[in-house]
Coordinates of all heavy atoms in Angstrom, one line a residue:
V1 N -2.2 -1.6 5.9 CA -3.0 -1.8 7.1 C -4.2 -0.8 7.1 O -4.0 0.4 6.9 CB -2.2 -1.6 8.4 CG1 -3.0 -1.8 9.6 CG2 -1.0 -2.6 8.4
L2 N -5.4 -1.4 7.3 CA -6.6 -0.6 7.4 C -7.2 -0.7 8.8 O -7.3 -1.8 9.3 CB -7.6 -1.1 6.4 CG -9.0 -0.3 6.3 CD1 -8.8 1.1 5.8 CD2 -10.0 -1.1 5.5
M3 N -7.5 0.4 9.4 CA -8.0 0.4 10.8 C -9.6 0.3 10.7 O -10.2 0.6 9.7 CB -7.6 1.7 11.5 CG -6.1 1.9 11.5 SD -5.2 0.6 12.2 CE -5.6 0.7 14.0
K4 N -10.2 0.0 11.8 CA -11.6 0.0 11.9 C -12.1 1.4 11.7 O -11.5 2.4 12.2 CB -12.1 -0.5 13.3 CG -11.8 -2.0 13.5 CD -12.3 -2.4 14.9 CE -12.0 -3.9 15.1 NZ -12.4 -4.4 16.4
G5 N -13.2 1.5 11.0 CA -13.7 2.9 10.6 C -13.2 3.3 9.2 O -13.6 4.3 8.7
G6 N -12.4 2.4 8.6 CA -12.0 2.7 7.2 C -10.9 3.6 7.1 O -10.6 4.2 6.0
K7 N -10.1 3.9 8.2 CA -9.0 4.8 8.1 C -7.7 4.1 8.0 O -7.4 3.1 8.7 CB -9.0 5.6 9.4 CG -7.9 6.7 9.5 CD -8.0 7.4 10.8 CE -7.0 8.5 11.0 NZ -7.0 9.2 12.3
P8 N -6.8 4.5 7.0 CA -5.5 3.9 6.9 C -4.7 4.1 8.2 O -4.9 5.0 8.9 CB -4.9 4.6 5.7 CG -6.0 5.2 4.9 CD -7.1 5.5 5.9
A9 N -3.9 3.1 8.5 CA -3.1 3.2 9.7 C -2.2 4.4 9.7 O -1.7 4.8 8.7 CB -2.2 1.9 9.8
G10 N -2.0 5.0 10.9 CA -1.2 6.2 11.1 C 0.3 5.7 11.3 O 0.6 4.5 11.3
E11 N 1.1 6.7 11.6 CA 2.6 6.4 11.7 C 2.9 5.5 12.9 O 3.8 4.6 12.8 CB 3.3 7.7 11.8 CG 3.3 8.6 10.6 CD 3.7 7.9 9.3 OE1 4.8 7.2 9.4 OE2 3.0 8.0 8.3
E12 N 2.2 5.7 14.0 CA 2.5 4.8 15.2 C 2.2 3.4 14.9 O 2.9 2.5 15.3 CB 1.7 5.4 16.4 CG 2.0 6.8 16.8 CD 3.4 7.0 17.3 OE1 3.9 6.0 17.9 OE2 3.9 8.1 17.2
I13 N 1.0 3.1 14.4 CA 0.6 1.7 14.1 C 1.5 1.1 13.0 O 1.9 0.0 13.1 CB -0.9 1.7 13.6 CG1 -1.8 1.9 14.8 CG2 -1.2 0.3 13.0 CD1 -1.8 0.8 15.8
K14 N 1.8 1.9 12.0 CA 2.7 1.4 10.9 C 4.1 1.0 11.4 O 4.7 0.0 11.1 CB 2.8 2.4 9.8 CG 1.6 2.5 8.9 CD 1.8 3.2 7.6 CE 2.2 4.6 7.8 NZ 2.3 5.3 6.5
A15 N 4.6 1.8 12.4 CA 5.9 1.5 13.0 C 5.8 0.3 13.8 O 6.7 -0.6 13.7 CB 6.3 2.7 13.8
A16 N 4.7 0.0 14.5 CA 4.6 -1.2 15.3 C 4.4 -2.4 14.4 O 5.0 -3.5 14.7 CB 3.4 -1.0 16.2
V17 N 3.7 -2.3 13.3 CA 3.5 -3.4 12.4 C 4.9 -3.7 11.7 O 5.2 -4.9 11.6 CB 2.4 -3.1 11.3 CG1 2.4 -4.2 10.2 CG2 1.1 -3.0 12.0
Y18 N 5.6 -2.7 11.3 CA 6.9 -2.9 10.7 C 7.8 -3.6 11.7 O 8.5 -4.6 11.3 CB 7.5 -1.6 10.3 CG 8.9 -1.7 9.8 CD1 9.1 -2.1 8.5 CD2 10.0 -1.4 10.6 CE1 10.4 -2.2 8.0 CE2 11.3 -1.6 10.1 CZ 11.5 -1.9 8.8 OH 12.8 -2.1 8.3
E19 N 7.8 -3.2 12.9 CA 8.7 -3.9 13.9 C 8.3 -5.3 14.1 O 9.2 -6.2 14.2 CB 8.6 -3.1 15.2 CG 9.6 -3.7 16.3 CD 9.5 -2.9 17.6 OE1 8.7 -2.0 17.7 OE2 10.2 -3.3 18.5
K20 N 7.0 -5.6 14.1 CA 6.5 -6.9 14.3 C 6.9 -7.8 13.2 O 7.3 -9.0 13.3 CB 5.0 -6.9 14.6 CG 4.4 -8.2 15.0 CD 4.7 -8.6 16.4 CE 4.0 -9.8 16.8 NZ 4.3 -10.2 18.2
C21 N 6.6 -7.3 11.9 CA 6.8 -8.2 10.8 C 8.2 -8.2 10.2 O 8.5 -9.0 9.3 CB 5.9 -7.7 9.6 SG 4.1 -7.9 10.0
S22 N 9.1 -7.4 10.8 CA 10.5 -7.4 10.4 C 11.4 -8.3 11.2 O 12.6 -8.5 11.0 CB 11.1 -6.0 10.4 OG 10.4 -5.2 9.4
A23 N 10.8 -8.8 12.3 CA 11.5 -9.7 13.2 C 12.1 -10.9 12.5 O 11.5 -11.4 11.6 CB 10.7 -10.1 14.4
D24 N 13.3 -11.3 12.9 CA 14.0 -12.4 12.2 C 13.2 -13.7 12.3 O 13.3 -14.5 11.4 CB 15.4 -12.6 12.8 CG 16.3 -11.5 12.5 OD1 16.1 -10.7 11.5 OD2 17.3 -11.3 13.2
K25 N 12.4 -13.9 13.3 CA 11.6 -15.1 13.5 C 10.3 -15.1 12.7 O 9.6 -16.0 12.6 CB 11.3 -15.4 14.9 CG 12.5 -15.7 15.8 CD 12.1 -16.0 17.2 CE 13.4 -16.4 18.0 NZ 13.0 -16.7 19.4
V26 N 10.0 -13.9 12.0 CA 8.8 -13.8 11.3 C 9.1 -13.8 9.8 O 8.4 -14.5 9.0 CB 8.1 -12.5 11.7 CG1 6.9 -12.2 10.8 CG2 7.7 -12.5 13.1
R27 N 10.0 -13.0 9.3 CA 10.2 -12.8 7.9 C 11.3 -13.7 7.4 O 12.2 -14.0 8.2 CB 10.6 -11.4 7.5 CG 11.9 -10.9 8.1 CD 12.3 -9.6 7.6 NE 13.6 -9.2 8.2 CZ 14.8 -9.5 7.7 NH1 14.8 -10.3 6.6 NH2 15.9 -9.1 8.3
P28 N 11.2 -14.2 6.2 CA 12.3 -14.9 5.6 C 13.6 -14.0 5.5 O 13.4 -12.8 5.4 CB 11.8 -15.3 4.2 CG 10.4 -15.3 4.3 CD 10.1 -14.2 5.3
F29 N 14.7 -14.6 5.5 CA 16.0 -13.8 5.5 C 16.1 -12.8 4.3 O 16.6 -11.8 4.5 CB 17.2 -14.7 5.6 CG 18.5 -14.1 5.7 CD1 18.9 -13.5 6.9 CD2 19.4 -14.0 4.6 CE1 20.1 -12.8 7.0 CE2 20.6 -13.4 4.7 CZ 21.0 -12.8 5.9
T30 N 15.5 -13.2 3.2 CA 15.7 -12.5 2.0 C 14.6 -11.4 1.8 O 14.7 -10.6 0.8 CB 15.7 -13.4 0.8 OG1 14.5 -14.2 0.8 CG2 16.9 -14.3 0.8
D31 N 13.6 -11.4 2.7 CA 12.5 -10.4 2.5 C 12.9 -9.0 3.1 O 13.4 -8.9 4.2 CB 11.2 -10.9 3.2 CG 10.4 -11.9 2.4 OD1 10.9 -12.2 1.2 OD2 9.4 -12.3 2.8
H32 N 12.6 -8.0 2.3 CA 12.7 -6.6 2.8 C 11.3 -6.0 3.0 O 10.6 -5.8 2.0 CB 13.5 -5.8 1.7 CG 13.6 -4.4 2.1 ND1 13.6 -3.3 1.1 CD2 13.8 -3.7 3.3 CE1 13.7 -2.2 1.7 NE2 13.8 -2.4 3.0
V33 N 10.9 -5.9 4.2 CA 9.6 -5.5 4.6 C 9.5 -4.0 4.6 O 10.3 -3.3 5.1 CB 9.2 -6.0 6.0 CG1 7.8 -5.5 6.4 CG2 9.2 -7.6 5.9
Q34 N 8.4 -3.5 3.9 CA 8.1 -2.0 3.9 C 6.6 -1.8 4.2 O 5.8 -2.7 3.9 CB 8.5 -1.4 2.6 CG 10.0 -1.6 2.2 CD 10.3 -1.0 0.8 OE1 10.2 0.2 0.7 NE2 10.6 -1.8 -0.1
M35 N 6.3 -0.7 4.7 CA 4.9 -0.3 4.9 C 4.4 0.6 3.8 O 5.1 1.5 3.3 CB 4.8 0.4 6.3 CG 5.2 -0.4 7.5 SD 4.3 -2.0 7.7 CE 2.6 -1.4 7.9

């Protein structure tokens, strides 16, 4: 994840993205999502 201004995402944003993309309704059952 890249933020506006060219800065890589910090821990808070990465945690939120991980939670969003790890949801059962988002990822396939066999995917292991990492940031």
Side-chain angles (χ1 to χ4, degrees):
V1 179
L2 181 70
M3 307 302 291
K4 291 179 179 178
K7 183 179 179 181
E11 296 304 317
E12 301 290 335
I13 289 291
K14 287 195 294 184
V17 170
Y18 174 80
E19 182 179 2
K20 187 74 175 178
C21 293
S22 296
D24 291 340
K25 293 183 178 180
V26 173
R27 66 172 179 85
F29 184 72
T30 55
D31 277 1
H32 176 216
V33 177
Q34 302 179 66
M35 300 301 300

